Amino acid sequence: MTTEHLLDDRPRVPLCTMANKVPEVTAYFWIIKVLTTGMGETASDLLARLLGPVPAVGLGGLALALSLAVQFAVRRYVAWVYWTAVVMVSVFGTMAADVLHVGLGVPYTLSTPFFLVVLAAVFALWYAVERTLSIHGIRTRRREVFYWAAVLATFALGTAAGDLTATIGLGYLGSVVLFAVAICLPAVAHRGGVLSAVPAFWTAYVITRPLGASLADWMAVGHTRGGLGLGLAPVTLAWTAAIACFVGYLAVSRRDTSALDAA
């Protein structure tokens, strides 16, 4: 699902206060998105192990607030600023789901539908106010707030859903296969005319979270848990390096801004 497939749902914004703050949706977008979800999963677990759950949540919340402050301060899409914010949302979104389960004892069978309701509420309020959920119109402060609220909710939902499938018998590798198939369905439905561009995009966006998290967990956890046993720190560092390489390439090549510049 690329930018041209989403253009039909681009809203008509009569007054643009700033350039669109979201990158063009290309293959690079989806690759980096999956990488951020996996990195956020293992980084969250690593920080909780090294610092303890409470300090880790506090540090994650502070890093998220700072990254979003920078994102809101810039007037256009900047690759490293945007993707840093996504990484921090990934880390903190994972922590939010884990706190409910580990800290408060809320089972994934309850937290998953809870975060689904939260996401639905964000979308409902966003649409009621702006009459669109398209990512092509993130040109005002209010729409940017709605966008990042939705992003945070998708990460929390995806984390809970991924952990749910991993603990009900599928395991991490089984979850990878499940979500790899699931993420193809919105694109197929959109191409077949069954699903319009905007819901297809957001459905795929949600699924990237459990896909990346399940893959990273499978790489990191020990053999007794069905994983490769590579460890949290090596997987976190490797996925962080991959994110940095892709974002660095986009910052130089501007392959994710061509349609935005032309708009």
Side-chain angles (χ1 to χ4, degrees), residues 65-179:
L66 290 175
S67 63
L68 286 179
V70 176
Q71 168 64 23
F72 276 85
V74 298
R75 301 288 294 177
R76 60 180 178 82
Y77 164 72
V78 179
W80 73 268
V81 173
Y82 174 86
W83 287 111
T84 297
V86 172
V87 166
M88 291 302 103
V89 169
S90 176
V91 174
F92 189 76
T94 301
M95 291 177 176
D98 288 344
V99 163
L100 279 181
H101 179 71
V102 179
L104 301 180
V106 178
Y108 294 125
T109 52
L110 291 181
S111 60
T112 300
F114 169 76
F115 285 122
L116 179 60
V117 171
V118 171
L119 179 60
V122 172
F123 280 150
L125 182 58
W126 183 356
Y127 189 81
V129 173
E130 300 291 343
R131 309 309 298 175
T132 180
L133 300 178
S134 173
I135 65 167
H136 291 288
I138 312 301
R139 301 174 181 270
T140 66
R141 188 69 66 218
R142 186 169 62 189
R143 287 187 178 183
E144 193 173 13
V145 169
F146 281 127
Y147 173 78
W148 286 103
V151 169
L152 183 57
T154 64
F155 272 93
L157 170 61
T159 299
D163 289 338
L164 174 63
T165 60
T167 55
I168 61 174
L170 284 179
Y172 294 112
L173 184 57
S175 296
V176 171
V177 175
L178 171 66
F179 292 117

Side-chain angles (χ1 to χ4, degrees), residues 1-4 6 22-27 29-30 135-136 201:
M1 201 184 324
T2 57
T3 295
E4 59 264 32
L6 297 173
V22 177
E24 182 182 358
V25 181
T26 66
F29 177 93
W30 294 113
I135 65 167
H136 291 288
F201 169 82

